[in-house]
Amino acid sequence: MNAPPLHLEIQSLYNDFSHRLSDDSLETWIELFDEQAEYRMTSRRNHELGLPLCVMLCESTGAIKDRLTAIRNTLVFAPRRIFHTSMNIQLVEAKEDVLLTRSQFMVWQTFESGSTELQMVGRSFDTLTRRGEQLRFAKRVAIFDTELIAGSTVYPV
């Protein structure tokens, strides 16, 4: 069987990423990351000024797993459902099995009251690698443009 074109593989990875976050399938969402993955979420202002401050920083897959355990077991926050979408996905550079990509994202959250609000919009700059036949995130830098985030940032984007 022939492998799908690279752009379809990349699109499929981003689709899985968004669906698993939106479906609250965090335990399978982590499977989209390489074993040594890094995850950062920061504001545009901090990113542009080169400041290291991040809203969420996980310097290994173990740290990402710790964050997910905290979401499930220890963090106290108003219950909500999130809806995540990735769009305008672009392959910036390809070197052997390392791909540099970028995308835009939007995150909405719906609280138990039923009200839905836009939580944030932003861009991601990602490094993808192959694990076997599958593309995985080796690094994700999510930069949100929203200056005042509605509610607390609990979930990754």
Side-chain angles (χ1 to χ4, degrees), residues 14 31 48 108:
Y14 278 86
E31 297 168 0
E48 289 174 351
W108 291 268

Side-chain angles (χ1 to χ4, degrees), residues 113-130:
S113 66
S115 64
T116 300
E117 56 189 30
L118 180 64
Q119 183 185 31
M120 71 174 66
V121 298
R123 301 166 291 151
S124 74
F125 298 90
D126 304 314
T127 302
L128 310 180
T129 58
R130 284 205 181 276

Side-chain angles (χ1 to χ4, degrees), residues 46-115:
N46 286 343
H47 177 73
E48 289 174 351
L49 293 174
L51 300 174
L53 181 64
C54 296
V55 171
M56 196 178 299
L57 172 61
C58 301
E59 295 181 304
S60 68
T61 306
I64 297 171
K65 289 177 183 176
D66 287 347
R67 177 68 185 197
L68 302 183
T69 299
I71 290 169
R72 292 290 191 231
N73 301 314
T74 60
L75 290 180
V76 178
F77 56 91
R80 68 195 71 189
R81 299 291 298 188
I82 65 163
F83 179 84
H84 183 281
T85 186
S86 299
M87 64 203 97
N88 300 324
I89 300 160
Q90 181 181 38
L91 175 60
V92 177
E93 188 176 346
K95 296 183 205 174
E96 297 181 23
D97 282 342
V98 176
L99 307 174
L100 303 180
T101 60
R102 62 180 289 166
S103 70
Q104 297 169 331
F105 62 84
M106 297 175 86
V107 180
W108 291 268
Q109 56 188 359
T110 302
F111 293 94
E112 282 189 334
S113 66
S115 64

Side-chain angles (χ1 to χ4, degrees), residues 39-51:
Y39 178 90
R40 295 175 178 268
M41 185 192 322
T42 190
S43 69
R44 179 169 37 139
R45 180 184 309 259
N46 286 343
H47 177 73
E48 289 174 351
L49 293 174
L51 300 174

